[in-house]
Amino acid sequence: SIVIRDKLWLALGKEIRIYQPGSESSFTVLESSLVQPGTGDVTSGSYTSQQGGRAYFGHNDGKVTIYSTKDYACLGNVKVSDYKINSLAFAGYYLWAAYRTGKIYVYDISTTPWTIKKDWRAHDGQVAGLILDPSSIWTLRRLQVTSIGHDQSIRLWDGMLEDDWLDNAMHDADVEYCTFHEIKASVVTWNVGASNPMEVRGDFIGDAIHVEDRPELLVFGFQEVVDLEDR
């Protein structure tokens, strides 16, 4: 359940019902529940005031359903994962999603399809919940997101993703402060296939690297390297 303005959105199984507490005559806002075919049980929810107000609900099949908070119309259904979404939270313009795998994903929902801005393993077990603390902006001078895990730990994250923002800003401005030049590289790969070194053709290296056109960088890789004893 989540409270959006003066309405209570309550999910039970696949259905979502909307109530208006304090109003006995119109306590039930909608006569029928909100349900979308092809989605699993609702497991989490979050709200943003962007674009006139939208409610986002996560499902146990990795889908996210979007509803308008004005007319309660379904605005979309997005498949973001194959795993159960345990919790959702908005931090600025990004939607944070916590999964049973212990990972947290941050999505930019302004793009189509959604863009993954960052993902990482936050807990050893499932992530039970995400909580955004807006007051941390003026109390701690940072936007703080708290995650709660089944590993009996609570961890704090930078809701502004400041380090990533700085990295992207530096990358965008690298032409102003750096000079670049091209280098010549030779990329060689050998499909070993359980062969031993004596079976390599004598001209193998010569075919890959030419003295008259020498590369500055040599990248050498292997494929299908297996234990010769298992052959």
Side-chain angles (χ1 to χ4, degrees):
S1 61
I2 59 174
V3 175
I4 301 177
R5 296 194 177 104
D6 61 340
K7 303 293 190 304
L8 172 65
W9 295 57
L10 179 64
L12 183 62
K14 298 181 180 181
E15 299 182 350
I16 300 174
R17 295 186 178 274
I18 304 175
Y19 302 101
Q20 186 171 356
S23 176
E24 297 181 0
S25 60
S26 59
F27 180 71
T28 303
V29 178
L30 299 177
E31 295 182 359
S32 59
S33 59
L34 300 175
V35 59
Q36 299 303 318
T39 58
D41 291 347
V42 179
T43 57
S44 54
S46 187
Y47 162 75
T48 176
S49 59
Q50 303 171 34
Q51 298 176 302
R54 294 187 173 188
Y56 290 72
F57 289 93
H59 300 263
N60 62 1
D61 57 358
K63 294 180 180 179
V64 177
T65 306
I66 311 164
Y67 292 98
S68 168
T69 58
K70 288 185 176 180
D71 55 10
Y72 314 112
C74 180
L75 303 176
N77 193 287
V78 182
K79 176 75 172 180
V80 295
S81 175
D82 291 327
Y83 299 99
K84 174 185 176 183
I85 302 174
N86 280 357
S87 184
L88 292 175
F90 266 95
Y93 296 98
Y94 295 152
L95 178 65
W96 291 47
Y99 291 93
R100 60 174 300 177
T101 59
K103 299 190 71 174
I104 293 177
Y105 278 72
V106 180
Y107 297 98
D108 182 358
I109 60 175
S110 64
T111 62
T112 303
W114 292 0
T115 305
I116 300 175
K117 301 300 294 184
K118 190 171 187 177
D119 67 277
W120 68 95
R121 181 165 299 280
H123 294 271
D124 293 334
Q126 297 188 36
V127 183
L130 290 172
I131 301 174
L132 173 67
D133 180 16
S135 64
S136 61
I137 293 180
W138 57 85
T139 58
L140 301 173
R141 295 188 177 181
R142 64 174 182 265
L143 184 61
Q144 195 165 268
V145 177
T146 305
S147 65
I148 305 170
H150 283 201
D151 54 0
Q152 300 181 355
S153 64
I154 296 176
R155 293 178 178 164
L156 308 177
W157 310 99
D158 177 16
M160 302 292 287
L161 301 178
E162 181 180 356
D163 290 341
D164 298 87
W165 183 87
L166 291 173
D167 287 342
N168 292 333
M170 292 178 62
H171 182 271
D172 293 340
D174 57 3
V175 294
E176 300 179 30
Y177 304 99
C178 305
T179 56
F180 299 88
H181 68 278
E182 295 183 356
I183 64 172
K184 186 176 296 183
S186 179
V187 182
V188 183
T189 182
W190 177 27
N191 191 324
V192 179
S195 302
N196 63 56
M198 300 303 297
E199 297 175 352
V200 180
R201 301 194 322 269
D203 57 351
F204 177 77
I205 299 297
D207 289 343
I209 305 172
H210 305 283
V211 177
E212 63 276 9
D213 189 20
R214 291 179 294 179
E216 298 173 80
L217 178 66
L218 174 62
V219 181
F220 197 95
F222 295 94
Q223 302 174 47
E224 298 183 7
V225 180
V226 297
D227 186 354
L228 294 179
E229 296 300 326
D230 292 339
R231 188 174 181 180

